[in-house]
């Protein structure tokens, strides 16, 4: 493909894109499932990070909270990927030519990396974030930054409908 516009035109002309465009319930169903998966992911992240900040579940360890809520996050992400792919295939130019989409993808990658970086030390040493005061402070900073990033992801996703494509 010589350009993004050509790629979007090609993708919109594929049989799969035509199917998604013509079967009236596919796009609304994908959007609904996408929104529900966002709710699951955001709820899990909120619980994990509110524990890190010390606002919630102080009687439970970070590992207990992570063990309870991380699986929901990691299950929601493939659902978001699949439903997002349906939405892109159905209307490629709406997303692939939209700056809000690229902001969302960049923030999503950042959010996943930060979340993984937070969770990984807990697997090796459950007291990792609690052992040293500096780590506790870092954990709080990571939690706040992560929540800001994930909320920004939601906003960017919503803005795709309102930002003019380039």
């Amino acid at each position: 493909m010589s350009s993004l516009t050509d790629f979007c035109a090609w993708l919109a002309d594929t049989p799969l894109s035509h199917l998604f465009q013509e079967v009236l319930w596919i796009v609304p169903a994908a959007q609904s499932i996408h929104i529900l998966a966002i709710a699951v992911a955001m709820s899990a992240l909120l619980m994990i990070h509110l524990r890190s900040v010390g606002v919630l579940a102080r009687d439970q360890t970070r590992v207990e909270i992570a063990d309870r809520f991380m699986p929901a996050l990691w299950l929601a992400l493939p659902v978001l990927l699949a439903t997002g792919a349906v939405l892109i295939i159905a209307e490629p130019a709406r997303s692939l030519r939209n700056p809000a989409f690229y902001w969302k993808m960049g923030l999503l990658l950042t959010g996943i990396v930060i979340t993984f970086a937070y969770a990984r030390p807990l697997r090796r040493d459950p007291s990792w974030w609690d052992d040293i005061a500096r780590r506790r402070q870092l954990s709080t900073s990571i939690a706040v930054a992560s929540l800001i990033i994930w909320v920004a992801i939601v906003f960017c996703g919503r803005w795709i409908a309102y930002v003019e494509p380039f």
Side-chain angles (χ1 to χ4, degrees):
M1 299 296 135
S2 62
S3 73
L4 183 58
T5 302
D6 291 340
F7 176 75
C8 289
W10 170 82
L11 186 57
D13 200 35
T14 62
L16 189 58
S17 182
H18 284 283
L19 173 71
F20 292 166
Q21 294 167 32
E22 292 167 7
V23 179
L24 298 179
W25 61 266
I26 291 178
V27 170
Q31 289 172 332
S32 298
I33 294 167
H34 199 76
I35 290 167
L36 290 172
I38 289 168
V40 169
M42 291 299 293
S43 297
L45 285 160
L46 190 61
M47 298 302 288
I48 291 163
H49 292 318
L50 287 179
R51 167 56 185 95
S52 291
V53 173
V55 172
L56 183 72
R58 286 186 238 167
D59 60 327
Q60 297 178 39
T61 66
R62 294 169 198 265
V63 172
E64 289 172 327
I65 295 296
D67 285 347
R68 183 177 308 148
F69 294 105
M70 278 293 185
L73 173 63
W74 298 129
L75 286 172
L77 290 176
V79 173
L80 289 166
L81 176 68
T83 54
V86 169
L87 298 173
I88 291 168
I89 293 167
E91 298 178 271
R94 180 177 188 224
S95 293
L96 298 178
R97 295 185 58 226
N98 194 311
F101 174 79
Y102 291 100
W103 276 100
K104 178 182 175 180
M105 293 299 106
L107 288 166
L108 181 61
L109 181 59
T110 303
I112 290 170
V113 168
I114 288 173
T115 302
F116 184 75
Y118 173 82
R120 186 158 189 217
L122 290 175
R123 295 288 149 237
R124 290 179 287 151
D125 179 4
S127 62
W128 170 260
W129 293 113
D130 295 315
D131 278 350
I132 301 169
R134 195 171 40 196
R135 284 189 199 155
R136 284 191 298 275
Q137 291 170 344
L138 179 59
S139 172
T140 299
S141 298
I142 289 171
V144 170
S146 179
L147 285 173
I148 290 169
I149 288 168
W150 285 96
V151 168
I153 292 165
V154 172
F155 274 87
C156 286
R158 190 65 202 121
W159 288 339
I160 290 170
Y162 301 104
V163 172
E164 287 294 317
F166 48 78

